[in-house]
Amino acid sequence: MSGIAAKKGYFIIREHQCFPWYDASEFRHIGSVEGGTVFEQTVKVSDDEGYLSNIRRVKIILDETTRDGDSEIFILTNLPTKVANALVVAQIYRKRWTIETLFQILTEIFNCEIKTLGYPKAAMFAFCVALVSYNILSVVLAALRSIHGIKKIEQEVSSYYLADEIRGTYRGMMIAIPPKEWKIFAKMNLIELTNILRDLAARVNLVVFASHPRAPKKTRRALKRTRPSRRPHVSTAKILSQK
């Protein structure tokens, strides 16, 4: 963070437990955003280079705990209050999750980083193709959300299964449907195309694309190993050598 400030840049970063701040002011209630209540305070940090001194510390008390069980999160920023108040900082930070989800889909579903592509231009081209594919998937998901609801699509539909379905049927579809049949979509305006997508989305069987979220990991108790007193362990190699 000191390096960012040294370059006259700004940051919005989640606080970790080891962050060395001191001399904090009292929390001030700022307001509420989607998902929680926002408070703010000012803290001092020890910076040997002298680029950081007082920074803003934003606390969000969440309406629902995170998947890690956190009921509140803390965000650090050096943005001036007149540029972004605590509510804006909290909203900006929430968008971080959408960006992380995007890169997770690019990496795991669209394989945007092909290790065998050693040439920078080839690697960049593959990454751009993955981005275009993500845009197409986003349009499909938007059409589904407009018909079936945002919550149902975000919580119950798997982007992996959707992409796998497109990947599996694309070649056969392009053979079965001649290129001239696709030109009709190029002639549509935005409203017409939207209506077509909504009509198609209403016919989708969502059960086929149901996601299967992983259950929480169970903590395993460390078992203390004890050696049997009556039957001690004997090396098989030692017995064979004696025979």
Side-chain angles (χ1 to χ4, degrees):
M1 290 188 293
S2 177
I4 295 173
K7 297 294 184 181
K8 298 182 179 180
Y10 298 95
F11 56 80
I12 297 177
I13 298 177
R14 183 172 177 178
E15 177 187 303
H16 295 278
Q17 293 181 354
C18 59
F19 184 71
W21 59 264
Y22 63 97
D23 195 14
S25 65
E26 294 292 332
F27 272 113
R28 304 179 301 277
H29 177 261
I30 305 300
S32 300
V33 295
E34 181 184 359
T37 307
V38 180
F39 298 82
E40 183 180 6
Q41 67 178 167
T42 302
V43 298
K44 292 184 177 180
V45 295
S46 178
D47 178 17
D48 296 336
E49 301 297 329
Y51 293 107
L52 285 177
S53 55
N54 296 336
I55 63 174
R56 299 162 58 194
R57 185 170 183 253
V58 178
K59 177 173 71 172
I60 306 176
I61 300 180
L62 303 173
D63 296 337
E64 298 180 1
T65 58
T66 64
R67 58 187 176 186
D68 297 324
D70 298 327
S71 60
E72 58 184 23
I73 59 176
F74 297 90
I75 304 170
L76 303 170
T77 181
N78 64 337
L79 279 169
T81 306
K82 62 181 180 181
V83 174
N85 59 28
L87 298 179
V88 174
V89 171
Q91 291 171 348
I92 292 175
Y93 183 80
R94 285 178 60 87
K95 293 182 179 180
R96 161 182 173 263
W97 296 109
T98 61
I99 298 174
E100 289 190 353
T101 302
L102 180 150
F103 278 101
Q104 180 183 15
I105 292 176
L106 290 179
T107 303
E108 297 180 358
I109 298 179
F110 294 122
N111 194 21
C112 66
E113 297 179 358
I114 302 176
K115 295 181 179 180
T116 55
L117 294 180
Y119 297 98
K121 289 184 178 181
M124 183 62 68
F125 176 76
F127 181 76
C128 291
V129 171
L131 285 174
V132 173
S133 302
Y134 178 84
N135 287 341
I136 297 173
L137 178 62
S138 298
V139 173
V140 174
L141 290 172
L144 292 173
R145 285 194 294 265
S146 68
I147 297 297
H148 304 281
I150 297 175
K151 186 175 182 180
K152 186 175 185 62
I153 299 302
E154 291 184 351
Q155 296 183 358
E156 301 181 15
V157 174
S158 168
S159 297
Y160 173 82
Y161 290 140
L162 276 175
D164 184 67
E165 175 71 15
I166 296 172
R167 183 185 298 112
T169 60
Y170 174 76
R171 289 187 178 181
M173 183 175 62
M174 298 308 294
I175 295 174
I177 305 176
K180 64 179 181 179
E181 300 294 337
W182 296 97
K183 294 182 179 179
I184 186 175
F185 295 101
K187 299 178 181 179
M188 292 181 180
N189 57 38
L190 182 59
I191 302 299
E192 293 172 338
L193 181 60
T194 301
N195 291 333
I196 286 292
L197 292 175
R198 285 173 53 85
D199 179 64
L200 294 174
R203 308 182 190 185
V204 175
N205 182 10
L206 297 181
V207 177
V208 180
F209 308 107
S211 60
H212 303 282
R214 187 179 62 182
K217 292 184 178 180
K218 297 181 179 180
T219 56
R220 296 182 178 179
R221 296 181 180 179
L223 298 178
K224 185 178 180 180
R225 295 184 177 182
T226 57
R227 294 184 178 182
S229 57
R230 296 183 178 180
R231 299 179 60 185
H233 173 72
V234 180
S235 170
T236 304
K238 184 177 181 181
I239 296 176
L240 291 175
S241 64
Q242 292 174 354
K243 295 294 184 181

